Amino acid sequence: PRVLGWHRKGWHLQGCPLSSQVLAYNRHTFATVSQRLIVTVIPAPGGDPPFQGEFLVGNRNVEELLPAVAREMFLQASAGVWERGDLQVINVTSALDRGGRVPLPIEGRKEGVYVKVGSHSPFSPCLSSAASPQSRFRCSLGQQPLASCYDTFAPHFSIRWCNLTLSQVWPSPTTLGPVWGSGVLEDDGDFQPPTEVPPQDFLPGFLVTLLVPLVVAALLCLLLGHLMCCRREGV
């Protein structure tokens, strides 16, 4: 099955349960199914990894990389080129959601999957060279990118190295939320407004609002009476 989307009910806070409705369909029978999931949002142990790399897997669909076994196999292959062992999968996205085209149903072609992996360790020289401007220039010419290491993803995962994206994300300072009180106003005497409002005279505005329509109505009545009574034939 392929996930079509999800619908969130209400707001969520860190550590509070989140209710989501997931809608999926079977790509062979086109039957749809809906299921509601309860997800609890908790912070990642050790914080979010600052070094993140996104790989485009060309020979997989998104549902093939959702199981834990497939993601663990991908992490082991990523550790070979990253030269680090503290890797974790951050996000798995179908290439169709990034503007990719639906493949033809021949030769077992796949949609493609973007897999974002994070680590607390810096990028390896192999990844840095594959995402360098020189490598981007070679990709624009239709040539192979610069990769100075052995591709440990093969043969299970076909990585499109020209679509490799490396980013360094630093944690943003957390802002304190509103402090909720008891809901009872403290007894500090009479309430004093923050600013004093000078007294205003509303009589002129009231007279203008009332008299102007009355004068207009009286003039219309006189005009109508003059036309109906004084402009008749023989008068």
Side-chain angles (χ1 to χ4, degrees):
R2 169 173 172 76
V3 177
L4 292 177
W6 62 277
H7 180 67
R8 183 180 63 186
K9 295 290 186 180
W11 302 89
H12 79 279
L13 298 175
Q14 180 175 306
C16 298
L18 171 66
S19 176
S20 301
Q21 186 176 2
V22 182
L23 180 65
Y25 79 95
N26 191 310
R27 64 176 66 249
H28 301 291
T29 62
F30 297 99
T32 59
V33 62
S34 177
Q35 183 178 0
R36 182 162 307 202
L37 300 178
I38 304 297
V39 182
T40 302
V41 181
I42 59 176
D48 295 333
F51 299 94
Q52 300 178 5
E54 191 174 50
F55 302 88
L56 175 57
V57 185
N59 62 338
R60 288 290 187 271
N61 291 330
V62 62
E63 63 270 10
E64 298 176 355
L65 283 175
L66 292 180
V69 177
R71 287 187 281 111
E72 184 63 28
M73 185 183 302
F74 189 86
L75 288 177
Q76 293 177 2
S78 303
V81 296
W82 202 304
E83 300 177 0
R84 299 292 186 272
D86 61 332
L87 303 179
Q88 55 179 312
V89 176
I90 300 177
N91 189 22
V92 178
T93 308
S94 173
L96 299 181
D97 298 334
R98 300 288 186 88
R101 296 182 178 180
V102 178
L104 296 176
I106 57 176
E107 302 176 359
R109 298 183 181 180
K110 304 293 184 177
E111 301 172 354
V113 186
Y114 283 93
V115 183
K116 182 177 290 188
V117 180
S119 174
H120 291 274
S121 303
F123 304 111
S124 64
C126 173
L127 295 178
S128 299
S129 61
S132 61
Q134 295 81 4
S135 181
R136 301 294 185 190
F137 178 73
R138 291 173 61 92
C139 289
S140 64
L141 299 178
Q143 303 177 4
Q144 293 293 331
L146 299 176
S148 58
C149 59
Y150 176 72
D151 189 359
T152 58
F153 290 97
H156 302 287
F157 306 102
S158 177
I159 303 299
R160 299 178 182 176
W161 291 101
C162 289
N163 297 90
L164 174 65
T165 303
L166 302 180
S167 60
Q168 191 170 355
V169 181
W170 298 106
S172 58
T174 58
T175 58
L176 298 178
V179 179
W180 300 97
S182 60
V184 180
L185 185 64
E186 298 181 359
D187 187 11
D188 292 337
D190 297 335
F191 174 74
Q192 298 294 335
T195 56
E196 295 183 359
V197 179
Q200 300 181 6
D201 187 9
F202 297 100
L203 182 60
F206 172 75
L207 294 179
V208 171
T209 305
L210 182 63
L211 294 180
V212 170
L214 291 178
V215 172
V216 174
L219 293 177
L220 291 178
C221 291
L222 293 177
L223 180 61
L224 183 61
H226 175 74
L227 294 176
M228 294 182 66
C229 298
C230 301
R231 292 294 179 178
R232 298 176 61 185
E233 184 178 357
V235 177

